[in-house]
Amino acid sequence: MAKVTREMVERAGVDVDQLLELLVKNAAAELTTYYYYTILRANLIGMEGETLKEIAEVARIEDRNHFEALIPRIYELGGKLPDDMKVFHDMSACPPARLPENVTAENILKVLVEAERCAVRGYTQICNMTFGKDHRTYDLALAILNEEIEHESWFSEFLGEGPSGHFMRRGETSPFVSKFLK
């Protein structure tokens, strides 16, 4: 743990224990989403499914990268991950992005967009809590939030909710999050 780092964040008015709880729950959401997106992507079949497979894969890999980017900050602030994967899964900030009973490309898209919307809410909460108080956590959460908004936009566009205005990056993590993966 970086003692002075935690002290500065606490002095700025952030409840570090509450922040750590949110960071760990969002890390759990990222790792479980990576797992569930693997299953969803594998079930995107047929002409409609093949159209979506690559974009689901980009979101899946980026969610894994989000998990990796969150871990150092959790430990810097004195937190840790649970030593039991089942406990970690069950504490996720978002419900599991499980394969729908009626497996169609549209139903999978609905699962994907709802998972991204949950992530947007989670990182917005962290940004609101840390803005002007914990610059490192804020920058990290904002970088991840930018990608989660992009993912939501991609999937909602396929559902016909309107144009996203975004272009897919072909599986490369955005420069926003890349700087935290060192």
Side-chain angles (χ1 to χ4, degrees):
M1 169 178 71
K3 290 182 182 182
V4 172
T5 298
R6 183 179 174 117
E7 180 184 324
M8 293 294 99
V9 173
E10 287 173 338
R11 277 193 195 172
V14 174
D15 180 337
V16 175
D17 292 331
Q18 182 184 13
L19 176 59
L20 281 167
E21 181 181 344
L22 291 173
L23 290 171
V24 171
K25 285 181 175 184
N26 279 279
E30 296 292 359
L31 188 60
T32 58
T33 298
Y34 171 75
Y35 171 80
Y36 287 112
Y37 276 25
T38 302
I39 296 166
L40 294 171
R41 185 207 55 207
N43 282 274
L44 286 167
I45 58 175
M47 290 180 68
E48 280 186 323
E50 284 300 321
T51 303
L52 303 170
K53 218 173 234 182
E54 186 175 6
I55 203 162
E57 175 65 2
V58 170
R60 184 181 82 91
I61 296 302
E62 288 182 359
D63 285 347
R64 186 198 67 214
N65 291 340
H66 298 164
F67 168 76
E68 294 289 346
L70 288 165
I71 300 313
R73 191 59 180 161
I74 290 168
Y75 282 89
E76 288 167 0
L77 292 170
K80 65 178 190 161
L81 299 181
D83 61 359
D84 182 328
M85 184 60 188
K86 176 87 169 99
V87 169
F88 190 54
H89 173 281
D90 292 347
M91 70 182 340
S92 174
C94 297
R98 287 195 169 99
L99 191 65
E101 284 187 32
N102 182 15
V103 180
T104 64
E106 183 177 358
N107 287 342
I108 290 174
L109 268 173
K110 288 176 183 176
V111 171
L112 292 166
V113 79
E114 287 309 314
E116 298 303 334
R117 288 174 175 159
C118 181
V120 167
R121 287 188 289 274
Y123 289 106
T124 298
Q125 182 179 7
I126 293 170
C127 284
N128 290 341
M129 175 186 272
T130 58
F131 180 74
K133 298 175 183 176
D134 175 357
H135 309 294
R136 183 163 162 77
T137 304
Y138 176 79
D139 285 348
L140 172 60
L142 183 61
I144 294 171
L145 176 61
N146 282 319
E147 287 190 0
E148 300 295 7
I149 289 169
E150 195 171 47
H151 299 169
E152 178 196 7
S153 295
W154 291 340
F155 297 135
S156 69
E157 181 177 33
F158 275 106
L159 286 170
E161 295 177 356
S164 71
H166 295 279
F167 298 97
M168 197 170 67
R169 292 187 303 276
R170 300 278 182 229
E172 298 173 11
T173 297
S174 77
F176 297 118
V177 173
S178 293
K179 69 182 180 180
F180 294 101
L181 292 173
K182 296 179 183 176

